[in-house]
Amino acid sequence: MDIKYLKGVGDKRAEAFNKIGINKLKDFLQFIPRTYVSRVTIEEARKKFGETVLVLGKVKWVEKGVKSNHPTTILLEDNTGTVEIPIFGASEFRAKQFLLNENYLFYGKVTEAFKGYNIRLDYRDHLRLNLVDEADKDFLKFNIFPIYELSGTLKATWIKPLMLSKIVFNAFRALIKLNPDLVEESIPESIIKEYDFIPRKKAILRINFPTQYEDIEIARRRLSFEELFYVQLLMALKRKSLQNEIKGIKFITDIKTLTENFTKITEFELTDAQKRVINEIYTDMKSDNIMNRLLQGDVGSGKTIVSIFGMLIALQSGYQSALMCPTEILAEQHFYTISKFIEKFNAAAGTDYKVSLLVGGQKKRLRETILQDIRLGNSNIIIGTHALIQESVEFKNLGFVIIDEQHKFGVMQRAKLKDKGLNPDVLVMTATPIPRTLSLTYYGDLDVSIIDELPKNRIPIKTFLRKEEDKDNIWEFVKEKINEGQQAFIIYPIIDESEKLDLKSAEENYVILKDKVFKEYKVGMVHGRMLWYEIEEAMNDFKSGKINVLVATTVIEVGIDIPNASIMIIEEAQRFGLSQLHQLRGRVGRGAEQSHCILIAKHLDEVSKKRLNTMCETNDGFKISEVDMEIRGPGEFFGTRQSGVLNFILTDLNRDRDILDSARKLAFEIIETDPQMRKPEHASIKKMMLSTYKDAMYLMNIA
Ligand code: ADP
Ligand code: MG
């Protein structure tokens, strides 16, 4: 059945549903309520002061506001009492909208409930019902109503919360008529028994239309298990296919000489954690398994040097290495440091390795030359941005792939770079520490290496939270530090680089800082809309000390390494995510001086205060990310790009660790004992996998 024939839908609304991916009746099964609201009698509502409720009754009186800004007041009555419902706005229309003595469902918050008086409802929505209509009667059998998230697309066609609830209800009703089973079971009977789960059909019905509140959690856990179980099954399959099927490159190097040369030219002693991780990478690379490794290490823990060692192993075995970064600034910086390192290495080892940079916006001639170098193998290490995964880029023999700040990339982009080589070893690096539950769910197919120790010469950064009014003092402090020879970043929030308003304010502030506040000093600026060579120039000036203050947006958020910069000022700090603030702060504290980070915040509510205070209390990225996840939830935490494929609707990883653990255990057991899922008891799982998770399997490259 076309959804446009569903009661309450029609052509226009059907179109809006299509836009959000609801094309068939069956697609309504994807809806999960955001919250629930109880239907009560008007007398019961009296005891629910401050709560949001639904009441059903007949409209007895409609009074238009005297002035246009006065509310239209509705009087609604059931057989227990009367409620007054003022509705603001559009009074002409409102006054005519309601028909006397007809039945309406009203949704709102109880704002007055004085004894002896009418109670009052703060209006949210309403719905007209026809009590002789079978569907409407069925709808009213439930006393707990689902409220769904309304996307903008739906709002645009005037679908309101109660209307949406009813449409979903009608869809379920129609589906059950067509097929009393509604859905196929997705997990084996034995597991349902073992974990005491309710059947899938019941869970889907109950989460949408619970008969009592306890139903909701029981249904949610059942569906959450399913969600996690299938993702873990994907992980297990991926692991298995990596282990068995395809063989990777066996890199062959004279490790002793390589280590000697490497140590000779490295200016510092590696930390124990760095040495351990290098060893883990080497062990993977010399075996013929395909390495798939996540390197996690807090900002400034020294991941780059570790990755360079891996690159050298590949180079020494005759393969190319590629390093992909999320921003041009970072690609530039890596190009600069790695080129210098390789120069020294060439001198020490008598090699002739060449490093190339590939970013967008390079001149055509230059670009052609670089592409040719990559294709012919004249370039050994290729560093770049997304430009690396364009079709025109062909490698001679890409053997080792590194993705820096990998949380900034999507699964697809990772896969694309990998596809440029022939089963290359892959190292993805991130400074966003990932709580254990998350790394198991999102990166369950990867091996994990952790650098859990900072270089010894580091002095912990001191962080302070200040108000707008303190700015003069802050600028004085910055000047003092500049006079001592230090350098400062001042960050303005352009979270989304396409935000014109933000850019304008950052640029205006830049002018004030340059011409007034710091007029005796040199001030530069970088933002994401500058061209790469303009950025390069500003960054080089800052690096070489020509500039004292660098005004910047979040383009410098990741990876930038300028040890002499020791002051980090972040304006409107409340607008940044915690992990982002931690990243930004990580730009300082890399040198021998005591570093300072000052967060300037406006309009602090309780949550912002808690977040920003966490920054002042700790430099530990892990703690910060746990707090971040608690406050924002895992979806937000990863941003849309990351969560694309593995989007959890029902799972709350803060609460559902136990479900995750059992789902993971079970999934890995199944794949271990029955990798092809041939056993009859696994048939339903396999079917589900091949239907619902086909795209994910493709993305994860599972054969
Ligand atoms: P991140 O892990 O954030 O990417 P980087 O690799 O950029 O960190 O390293 C940060 C800075 O620390 C660089 O200037 C690097 O040269 C330096 N560094 C790395 N390892 C050590 C070490 N063991 N001792 C001292 N300095 C180090
Ligand atoms: Mg880095």
Side-chain angles (χ1 to χ4, degrees):
M1 186 177 112
D2 193 318
I3 61 165
K4 74 178 176 200
Y5 301 119
L6 191 63
K7 219 174 153 220
V9 180
D11 287 333
K12 256 233 158 77
R13 284 175 179 167
E15 231 172 80
F17 278 118
N18 292 343
K19 272 196 195 134
I20 59 165
I22 307 294
N23 299 300
K24 286 180 279 176
L25 213 44
K26 225 178 71 198
D27 296 334
F28 278 100
L29 293 174
Q30 296 164 17
F31 274 87
I32 301 289
R34 177 174 54 84
T35 179
Y36 302 85
V37 53
S38 303
R39 179 163 67 88
V40 296
T41 65
I42 291 170
E43 186 52 37
E44 282 164 345
R46 193 176 285 284
K47 289 172 221 120
K48 302 210 177 276
F49 179 77
E51 284 178 44
T52 303
V53 296
L54 283 179
V55 287
L56 172 72
K58 284 193 166 63
V59 168
K60 283 292 166 193
W61 179 256
V62 180
E63 189 178 273
K64 194 179 150 219
V66 197
K67 287 187 187 160
S68 63
N69 59 351
H70 288 184
T72 301
T73 304
I74 309 289
L75 219 57
L76 189 82
E77 186 186 276
D78 69 3
N79 50 25
T80 69
T82 311
V83 56
E84 270 177 46
I85 309 165
I87 310 179
F88 285 89
S91 58
E92 285 299 331
F93 164 73
R94 291 295 189 198
K96 292 186 204 129
Q97 186 184 18
F98 297 96
L99 303 175
L100 292 184
N101 291 314
E102 289 292 319
N103 286 291
Y104 289 87
L105 200 53
F106 273 88
Y107 171 33
K109 189 162 140 188
V110 182
T111 49
E112 269 179 39
F114 298 116
K115 218 175 150 75
Y117 289 88
N118 287 339
I119 66 162
R120 193 184 277 255
L121 215 58
D122 184 359
Y123 174 84
R124 294 244 177 112
D125 189 20
H126 75 274
L127 185 69
R128 189 176 161 203
L129 290 172
N130 178 354
L131 298 192
V132 286
D133 181 274
E134 283 302 320
D136 281 11
K137 271 202 302 207
D138 277 355
F139 185 54
L140 286 175
K141 278 188 192 144
F142 294 89
N143 289 327
I144 303 170
F145 283 73
I147 302 291
Y148 300 92
E149 197 79 60
L150 269 175
S151 73
T153 322
L154 294 185
K155 271 189 203 148
T157 46
W158 288 98
I159 296 180
K160 298 206 288 162
L162 294 181
M163 171 61 79
L164 182 58
S165 307
K166 203 177 130 196
I167 292 174
V168 177
F169 181 81
N170 287 342
F172 271 66
R173 205 166 170 269
L175 281 164
I176 292 218
K177 272 204 182 124
L178 290 171
N179 170 18
D181 287 339
L182 193 67
V183 288
E184 279 180 48
E185 188 45 69
S186 58
I187 46 182
E189 209 33 58
S190 57
I191 299 170
I192 295 187
K193 278 226 180 72
E194 187 182 335
Y195 289 92
D196 205 12
F197 284 138
I198 55 174
R200 181 151 184 251
K201 171 187 167 183
K202 193 167 171 190
I204 292 178
L205 284 175
R206 284 296 163 263
I207 200 146
N208 285 285
F209 300 96
T211 46
Q212 48 188 354
Y213 276 97
E214 292 82 71
D215 289 353
I216 300 170
E217 180 62 6
I218 293 170
R220 191 192 66 80
R221 282 179 68 88
R222 159 67 171 88
L223 296 171
S224 158
F225 180 88
E226 176 178 323
E227 202 167 55
L228 291 167
F229 173 68
Y230 278 93
V231 169
Q232 291 305 320
L233 213 51
L234 284 169
M235 303 291 178
L237 278 169
K238 173 87 181 173
R239 252 280 163 102
K240 197 82 192 166
S241 79
L242 289 176
Q243 277 167 4
N244 294 352
E245 319 265 311
I246 330 155
K247 290 289 167 217
I249 304 164
K250 211 167 163 165
F251 294 92
I252 300 163
T253 32
D254 173 358
I255 193 71
K256 194 161 160 271
T257 316
L258 174 59
T259 312
E260 273 169 21
N261 287 328
F262 182 87
T263 315
K264 216 186 299 170
I265 58 171
T266 308
E267 283 155 6
F268 40 77
E269 169 84 14
L270 293 182
T271 61
D272 288 344
Q274 284 171 316
K275 287 181 193 160
R276 187 186 67 233
V277 173
I278 283 181
N279 217 1
E280 286 164 357
I281 292 172
Y282 172 60
T283 309
D284 275 359
M285 289 183 77
K286 73 178 176 189
S287 89
D288 61 4
N289 288 339
I290 300 177
M291 173 165 84
N292 248 303
R293 192 167 278 284
L294 171 70
L295 172 51
Q296 242 181 282
D298 209 344
V299 262
S301 62
K303 294 182 289 296
T304 316
I305 192 78
V306 168
S307 74
I308 294 178
F309 196 93
M311 294 188 217
L312 287 170
I313 296 175
L315 264 47
Q316 298 254 282
S317 317
Y319 287 92
Q320 291 171 304
S321 297
L323 166 61
M324 182 161 76
C325 326
T327 63
E328 283 171 6
I329 294 193
L330 187 52
E332 279 280 336
Q333 172 190 290
H334 278 323
F335 176 63
Y336 178 84
T337 35
I338 293 173
S339 298
K340 278 208 335 207
F341 191 90
I342 292 297
E343 233 170 75
K344 283 195 271 176
F345 185 84
N346 281 340
T351 47
D352 184 20
Y353 296 137
K354 186 175 168 184
V355 187
S356 294
L357 175 71
L358 188 72
V359 292
Q362 283 169 321
K363 289 231 172 69
K364 198 157 173 249
R365 283 257 300 284
L366 176 63
R367 190 182 149 79
E368 298 280 291
T369 318
I370 297 169
L371 287 179
Q372 191 177 357
D373 280 348
I374 302 175
R375 195 169 54 242
L376 298 178
N378 299 338
S379 286
N380 307 91
I381 295 178
I382 300 95
I383 297 166
T385 53
H386 301 81
L388 286 178
I389 54 177
Q390 285 164 350
E391 240 163 71
S392 52
V393 186
E394 272 174 62
F395 289 82
K396 177 161 183 250
N397 58 354
L398 179 60
F400 185 50
V401 165
I402 303 153
I403 305 201
D404 195 16
E405 307 295 347
Q406 86 90 32
H407 58 284
K408 294 273 168 184
F409 290 101
V411 188
M412 270 297 216
Q413 293 165 320
R414 259 198 276 165
K416 269 195 182 149
L417 183 56
K418 206 183 151 185
D419 284 347
K420 300 258 177 203
L422 200 68
N423 302 322
D425 279 4
V426 178
L427 181 70
V428 300
M429 309 199 288
T430 186
T432 303
I434 302 154
R436 193 189 73 91
T437 42
L438 276 186
S439 66
L440 279 183
T441 28
Y442 287 86
Y443 304 111
D445 61 319
L446 304 178
D447 292 311
V448 180
S449 287
I450 300 180
I451 304 184
D452 49 7
E453 140 184 44
L454 292 178
K456 290 189 185 59
N457 58 357
R458 295 289 155 78
I459 308 167
I461 305 164
K462 288 186 180 157
T463 303
F464 304 94
L465 178 57
R466 293 287 180 265
K467 298 202 185 79
E468 285 284 305
E469 300 89 271
D470 303 324
K471 261 199 193 162
D472 288 344
N473 288 331
I474 298 171
W475 299 147
E476 279 314 307
F477 172 76
V478 174
K479 285 180 196 168
E480 235 169 72
K481 292 292 166 188
I482 297 177
N483 292 340
E484 291 170 16
Q486 301 183 23
Q487 290 174 288
F489 288 103
I490 302 177
I491 309 294
Y492 286 90
I494 303 187
I495 312 293
D496 173 359
E497 294 283 347
S498 65
E499 268 303 319
K500 288 208 182 77
L501 255 174
D502 276 345
L503 183 60
K504 191 160 163 261
S505 112
E507 280 176 332
E508 280 167 6
N509 277 302
Y510 165 61
V511 172
I512 296 171
L513 292 173
K514 181 170 69 109
D515 296 342
K516 298 217 173 84
V517 183
F518 293 105
K519 74 171 183 288
E520 309 92 273
Y521 302 93
K522 289 268 177 297
V523 183
M525 178 168 196
V526 287
H527 59 71
R529 294 181 127 208
M530 285 162 58
L531 295 171
W532 69 274
Y533 52 85
E534 297 172 324
I535 293 179
E536 182 188 45
E537 198 183 322
M539 292 307 293
N540 283 342
D541 286 350
F542 193 51
K543 201 172 262 178
S544 65
K546 266 194 219 157
I547 290 177
N548 311 102
V549 176
L550 186 67
V551 178
T553 66
T554 46
V555 287
I556 63 120
E557 172 189 338
V558 290
I560 296 304
D561 183 42
I562 298 178
N564 196 45
S566 59
I567 312 285
M568 170 61 64
I569 313 284
I570 304 176
E571 292 241 30
E572 294 189 56
Q574 80 284 349
R575 289 183 54 194
F576 294 92
L578 267 189
S579 297
Q580 212 175 8
L581 287 172
H582 181 61
Q583 286 274 350
L584 283 167
R585 175 172 63 183
R587 299 311 118 219
V588 299
R590 292 168 170 250
E593 299 289 340
Q594 170 68 57
S595 288
H596 295 86
C597 171
I598 302 176
L599 308 171
I600 307 176
K602 280 184 196 163
H603 324 295
L604 271 188
D605 56 28
E606 278 310 306
V607 177
S608 307
K609 211 182 267 168
K610 178 171 170 203
R611 293 170 55 232
L612 296 179
N613 278 329
T614 307
M615 289 294 297
C616 301
E617 284 154 19
T618 180
N619 278 309
D620 178 341
F622 258 94
K623 263 190 212 139
I624 290 173
S625 78
E626 297 261 1
V627 175
D628 202 18
M629 189 168 105
E630 231 167 77
I631 297 176
R632 289 199 294 161
E636 283 278 312
F637 180 87
F638 270 96
T640 44
R641 263 193 274 181
Q642 186 61 255
S643 50
V645 197
L646 310 174
N647 214 349
F648 295 116
I649 300 165
L650 291 148
T651 302
D652 171 355
L653 286 171
N654 288 320
R655 273 196 298 172
D656 297 333
R657 287 171 198 226
D658 60 325
I659 307 183
L660 171 66
D661 284 338
S662 35
R664 181 173 174 84
K665 192 165 148 264
L666 184 66
F668 275 75
E669 266 167 27
I670 290 177
I671 298 305
E672 199 46 55
T673 54
D674 183 18
Q676 305 287 334
M677 291 192 273
R678 290 214 174 95
K679 291 188 188 161
E681 68 261 38
H682 297 149
S684 59
I685 302 179
K686 189 170 182 172
K687 196 167 161 205
M688 179 87 177
M689 199 75 194
L690 291 173
S691 55
T692 312
Y693 293 89
K694 214 161 104 202
D695 292 350
M697 286 176 75
Y698 168 74
L699 282 175
M700 293 178 66
N701 236 331
I702 299 170

